[in-house]
Amino acid sequence: MVPVFFLAAVCFRMVSAAPTHDPSLNAEWQKWKTKYRKTYINNEEVERRALWEENMKLIQLHNKEYHQGKNTFTMAMNAFGDQRPLELAQTLTAFQSQEAKETNIFQEPLLGDVPKSVDWRKHGYVTPVKDQGSCVSCWAFSAVGSLEGQMFRKTGKLVPLSEQNLVDCSRSQHNNGCHGGLFTSAFQYIKDNGGLDTSESYPYEAQDGPCRYDPKHSAANITGFVVVPSNEEALMKAVATVGPISIGISVRLRSLLFYKSGFYYDPDCYNHYPNHSVLLVGYGEESDGQKYWLVKNSWGEEWGMDGYIKIAKDRNNHCSIATIAAYPTVHQGLPHLCAILQLSVHEYSSLNTETGAEVPAIEPSTNIEFRQLMTGFQSMGTKEMNVFQEPLLGDVPKSVDWRNLSYVTPVKDQGQCSSCWAFSAVGSLEGQIFRKTGQLISLSEQNLVDCSWSYGNIGCFGGLMEYAFRYVKENRGLDTRVSYPYEARNGPCRYDPKNSAANVTDFVKIPISEDALMKAVATVGPISVGVDSHHHSFRFYKGGMYYEPHCSSSNLDHAVLVVGYGEESDGNKYWMVKNSWGQGWGMNGYIKMARDRNNNCGIATYAIYPTV
């Protein structure tokens, strides 16, 4: 093996000993060397000039074919111009497998549809493009990028974190500083270490150094990390529901090294094992139908599209983009809530025929399951939330219906957006504002969908009423529905304080008991609650008293509004509940749910209201 390598090296030098240079490129060569501060020793410049010219001609030919419609992306000369792809590949990180005991596997959320496009830059999750320089630290930049996004999701603050902290300090987790590493090993270091410093306190140096971590400057910590299964469908769902994801890609072709813009697809970029770490920040589709992944690199803003590249999506794992992907987990508090109706046309038809149930006016999808975004609630410490104090009353009324006292706006329709949490929160707040002012004003669910991401909600992918109330409190207002109409999709935040019609001082959690919930409804007004709605009987409910013996009291997947309670002539007690599936569902948008039947469907498990 050794003699063969030596022969190859000698042969290369013999061929390259006396290259012929193109004198017309002399000025451009000097300009390029100056721009990138290139200096050479002995006869090295002769060889490097030849490589540069070869790459320059390749780029020119490629771009000519691009203008002829033969290619979908452009290339441009950059700092890699005097190097061979093999040289660059040898300076990029290699990946090592992780033992299963050290990793959690991403569980694909049971959503019906994820959006056609996602770009987390637009939601404030992504810091500016950085440059790893001549240090093989792409793994650190990728890990930091994913963590920065998760910390923004938790705190609402986008704080640049320290790649150098990882370069210097994670060797005991099997990273090798400027000689390569793995983002999952970086996550393990942060978990074991109990924190990661900011880039301001621990700036990047592009070289190995002693570990100087200082817990006083730590701005992030993680509870673990999750590995995404090696397929593009799982990766898409992870990006859509989690945020930016650390991934590995194969970087062995000059077409990628010199990529400048456009839709990157090179048939030679097949499934080699990844050798470079990047950050996946979204995906989308071009006007011609070409699907792409939006990827942030760590080679500076001059490379690619200001540091980004669009890589072909759903093209047989192009450039190994879905082979290894992971993200860190941070403590987020409560999970999200909301369900989307997702039934096949056949299932709708058969249920309608067999049961006589009336099909709600919601467009069916091709999926055959009613899919939910979350499966349970976690309790919050009382220090973070006020707990409802049951009034010292003798008796509360036998029946209450706040609709009769004008506390409740007309039934609305969330459409194909998992925004039930926003409708529930808005309904409770509308009631409290009426109680305070005597004016029933329809408030904006879309304001919550677009603007409360930094409080833990994720728009049309789910959320929680508590996070909505916290947003309104800290934002100091919520716009009216007239000024900020509902669109049933995620959009940029357009809150305008001039159009605000509500504010909250705090929110109150009701103890998990139907008696406490009854007293709250009787004395406060409409209350936001969570329920288990995944049974066919709930989805196709039309009228009467609803009792489902198979309902869960803990696996809540849908947010609604309790507007009253009562008792039927036969003695059956019920909760009067307002849904957000339009007036075509149920009793003009309402349902009577069994009361005092062992917390049926979990109606008293999570109940909350705002204070004004």
Side-chain angles (χ1 to χ4, degrees), residues 146-432:
S146 190
L147 181 54
E148 287 168 341
Q150 292 307 298
M151 291 307 299
F152 176 81
R153 180 177 181 176
K154 176 182 178 180
T155 68
K157 298 178 181 178
L158 186 62
V159 179
L161 300 173
S162 175
E163 297 86 7
Q164 193 67 41
N165 188 167
L166 294 175
V167 169
D168 294 340
C169 305
S170 64
R171 291 181 180 273
S172 61
Q173 283 76 22
H174 309 297
N175 285 324
N176 294 309
C178 279
H179 302 288
L182 195 64
F183 43 72
T184 48
S185 298
F187 296 147
Q188 190 65 50
Y189 160 77
I190 299 166
K191 179 183 178 183
D192 295 344
N193 187 56
L196 185 72
D197 283 351
T198 65
S199 62
E200 182 179 6
S201 65
Y202 201 149
Y204 187 63
E205 299 170 350
Q207 61 184 8
D208 293 325
C211 182
R212 291 155 284 171
Y213 170 75
D214 187 340
K216 297 194 302 291
H217 298 137
S218 176
N221 198 1
I222 70 173
T223 58
F225 59 90
V226 176
V227 172
V228 182
S230 300
N231 69 78
E232 292 190 78
E233 179 74 13
L235 184 57
M236 179 176 67
K237 291 181 179 179
V239 176
T241 59
V242 174
I245 306 289
S246 292
I247 62 170
I249 60 173
S250 174
V251 177
R252 291 172 170 85
L253 301 177
R254 286 185 290 185
S255 60
L256 200 151
L257 294 171
F258 297 107
Y259 168 85
K260 184 56 183 175
S261 65
F263 174 81
Y264 181 80
Y265 176 76
D266 188 322
D268 292 326
C269 198
Y270 46 85
N271 291 337
H272 287 108
Y273 204 62
N275 65 343
H276 183 54
S277 299
V278 289
L279 185 68
L280 185 59
V281 302
Y283 59 86
E285 187 173 323
E286 302 282 28
S287 57
D288 60 2
Q290 299 270 30
K291 298 178 181 179
Y292 63 84
W293 297 107
L294 183 60
V295 175
K296 179 186 181 185
N297 204 349
S298 54
W299 293 346
E301 293 185 350
E302 184 178 283
W303 180 88
M305 297 185 298
D306 299 320
Y308 288 84
I309 180 174
K310 291 180 177 179
I311 296 180
K313 177 174 173 285
D314 297 338
R315 297 290 293 270
N316 195 31
N317 191 23
H318 194 54
C319 298
S320 306
I321 196 164
T323 299
I324 179 166
Y327 61 90
T329 55
V330 300
H331 181 67
Q332 295 282 3
L334 287 166
H336 300 100
L337 172 68
C338 206
I340 307 176
L341 286 175
Q342 296 294 342
L343 293 170
S344 69
V345 174
H346 173 74
E347 187 175 7
Y348 262 59
S349 301
S350 62
L351 280 169
N352 192 30
T353 302
E354 296 171 7
T355 67
E358 182 166 323
V359 178
I362 299 178
E363 181 182 355
S365 79
T366 56
N367 297 324
I368 64 172
E369 294 180 324
F370 178 75
R371 301 193 167 190
Q372 60 190 42
L373 181 57
M374 58 82 67
T375 57
F377 289 88
Q378 301 173 12
S379 61
M380 292 290 291
T382 54
K383 66 180 181 178
E384 298 184 15
M385 151 181 320
N386 298 314
V387 177
F388 177 69
Q389 302 296 317
E390 297 185 23
L392 298 175
L393 295 171
D395 294 315
V396 293
K398 287 187 176 180
S399 66
V400 168
D401 190 339
W402 288 107
R403 296 176 298 179
N404 297 334
L405 298 174
S406 301
Y407 273 58
V408 186
T409 56
V411 169
K412 305 170 186 177
D413 191 343
Q414 71 186 67
Q416 298 297 307
C417 169
S418 288
S419 54
C420 58
W421 56 274
F423 283 80
S424 176
V426 157
S428 189
L429 181 53
E430 287 169 342
Q432 293 306 299

Side-chain angles (χ1 to χ4, degrees), residues 520-597:
V521 173
T523 59
V524 174
I527 304 292
S528 293
V529 301
V531 296
D532 173 14
S533 70
H534 85 276
H535 295 279
H536 286 164
S537 56
F538 189 97
R539 283 177 271 164
F540 297 102
Y541 169 84
K542 183 56 184 175
M545 171 87 132
Y546 180 78
Y547 173 72
E548 172 55 69
H550 301 296
C551 240
S552 171
S553 62
S554 59
N555 292 335
L556 314 182
D557 63 359
H558 187 51
V560 290
L561 186 71
V562 175
V563 301
Y565 59 85
E567 187 174 325
E568 300 281 31
S569 57
D570 60 4
N572 282 320
K573 298 177 181 178
Y574 63 84
W575 297 105
M576 181 61 71
V577 176
K578 179 186 181 184
N579 204 351
S580 55
W581 293 347
Q583 295 184 5
W585 179 88
M587 299 185 298
N588 297 318
Y590 287 85
I591 181 174
K592 289 182 177 179
M593 299 185 68
R595 180 165 65 91
D596 294 340
R597 295 290 296 273

